Amino acid sequence: MENGKSYIRAEKDFINKWNTSFINTFKWKELNNSTLRRDYFLKKIDISAPWHPIIFCNKLNNISEFIEESKVNFLEPFYFFMFVPEKSFEEKHLKKLFKENILAHYIFIENKSIKELFDKYKSRVRTKIRRGFKNFKFIKLNSIEELSNYEIEIRNLLINQYLRLGSPCPPFELIKNLFKNKALNLYIVKFKNKLVGFITMSTDKNISHVLWTVKSNNFKNNDLSICLFQFCLEEAIKNKSKVFSLGTTNSKNLSKFKEQLNAERAIYFKKKFNGSNQSLKLFSYVKSNRNKFFLLINNII
């Protein structure tokens, strides 16, 4: 990597806030300060920080350093999410890796300015952002009271986007608990004093990760979406984050959209660790079915 580091870890304090929010929302069990348990119909899964990357790693063999330095007493197998740049792998392996895992996009922002990144965009992208920032008003919510004022509108945006796209839709209660526990920041956008979208970003200072982006069906072009990502990128740089993650990507069109901001591609793994040295040597991965699982749940509901 540009700063010579081989991996970037999420903050432990952030992980505790993040896990607490999931425990409170879904009534999952807390096993220790870093791990929680999810009960499914046929099995149990122990996981640290569901959906959020624990580590950004550019060299696979350095994952063992992360495990050793974390100094957590792992009594049972558990899963955690990490993402690794596409360029870390040989071309011949990429097709299988992307088929069995999730595509993500990221921008390495440590020691970079927003002007430096903005000037590297194509001219049409810079025009979209300038125009969008003139037309839309972006507001950072700072309290639960403020969030409550927009609860009905936010719920409607979530429902309408799911009906239109069929994409995984987070429960409002999860968003509320993550926000209440200061595990994410929530930014809303208004057009002529009407709420037309929002975006959420984790408060982990090392890896700023965009969780959900939602916009009104009245804005089907990408101007609003790209401005939402740009606004979060600026916030991440203000917070002195090292990596800005644009979240997971499930289509070619979405991939091309994110790459307008010169985002690089990465593979988003769900890694199983069983506490033995052998597992570090084998470094075996299991694919993540997060999108499929939540689509199934949404369709059932």
Side-chain angles (χ1 to χ4, degrees), residues 70-301:
S70 61
K71 296 180 180 178
V72 177
N73 183 22
F74 300 117
L75 300 177
E76 298 182 41
F78 76 102
Y79 297 85
F80 64 89
F81 289 103
M82 63 176 291
F83 64 102
V84 184
E86 178 186 41
K87 59 189 177 185
S88 301
F89 302 92
E90 294 182 30
E91 185 72 28
K92 61 183 179 180
H93 297 144
L94 289 177
K95 185 176 181 179
K96 178 176 173 60
L97 286 169
F98 280 124
K99 182 179 180 180
E100 296 184 347
N101 297 282
I102 302 175
L103 171 66
H105 283 81
Y106 74 96
I107 303 173
F108 188 73
I109 61 175
E110 187 173 19
N111 300 322
K112 291 185 178 179
S113 68
I114 191 62
K115 184 179 186 305
E116 177 184 354
L117 296 172
F118 184 83
D119 290 344
K120 290 182 180 180
Y121 299 158
K122 293 181 179 179
S123 59
R124 59 182 174 81
V125 177
R126 295 198 298 269
T127 299
K128 283 183 180 181
I129 293 172
R130 290 194 186 102
R131 182 172 61 226
F133 275 36
K134 288 180 180 179
N135 294 330
F136 301 113
K137 183 179 181 181
F138 298 86
I139 302 170
K140 178 182 178 181
L141 300 186
N142 294 306
S143 68
I144 283 291
E145 290 72 27
E146 283 185 291
L147 177 60
S148 298
N149 292 335
Y150 296 104
E151 179 175 345
I152 294 176
E153 293 170 283
I154 288 175
R155 286 182 182 273
N156 288 335
L157 286 173
L158 284 167
I159 293 169
N160 290 331
Q161 177 157 300
Y162 170 70
L163 292 174
R164 181 165 63 92
L165 301 178
S167 59
C169 178
F172 176 81
E173 288 70 23
L174 175 60
I175 295 175
K176 183 177 181 179
N177 282 328
L178 287 166
F179 182 74
K180 181 180 179 181
N181 291 322
K182 301 186 184 302
L184 64 73
N185 288 322
L186 197 152
Y187 309 94
I188 61 171
V189 55
K190 289 187 174 183
F191 179 72
K192 296 181 179 179
N193 293 321
K194 183 178 180 181
L195 185 69
V196 295
F198 73 90
I199 190 167
T200 62
M201 183 173 71
S202 67
T203 56
D204 175 18
K205 292 182 180 177
N206 291 326
I207 307 174
S208 291
H209 183 63
V210 172
L211 280 305
W212 300 289
T213 306
V214 181
K215 65 179 183 179
S216 168
N217 293 345
N218 294 327
F219 294 88
K220 294 185 178 180
N221 61 48
N222 286 326
D223 286 15
L224 176 55
S225 298
I226 204 163
C227 287
L228 282 167
F229 276 108
Q230 179 68 15
F231 186 82
C232 276
L233 176 60
E234 293 183 9
E235 291 290 302
I237 289 176
K238 288 178 187 176
N239 294 335
K240 297 183 178 179
S241 295
K242 298 175 182 178
V243 174
F244 176 68
S245 165
L246 287 76
T248 56
T249 307
N250 56 12
S251 70
K252 289 184 178 180
N253 288 337
L254 185 55
S255 181
K256 290 179 180 179
F257 161 73
K258 292 180 179 179
E259 286 160 17
Q260 291 182 87
L261 298 179
N262 297 327
E264 297 185 66
R265 291 157 60 99
I267 300 171
Y268 198 26
F269 291 105
K270 184 173 71 172
K271 174 71 175 67
K272 182 178 182 181
F273 176 70
N274 62 18
S276 68
N277 293 330
Q278 187 67 18
S279 69
L280 295 177
K281 292 178 183 178
L282 293 175
F283 204 66
S284 59
Y285 292 103
V286 293
K287 65 181 179 180
S288 171
N289 287 318
R290 190 197 73 172
N291 286 347
K292 293 179 182 178
F293 174 75
F294 279 94
L295 276 174
L296 175 63
I297 294 300
N298 281 326
N299 286 329
I300 290 173
I301 294 174

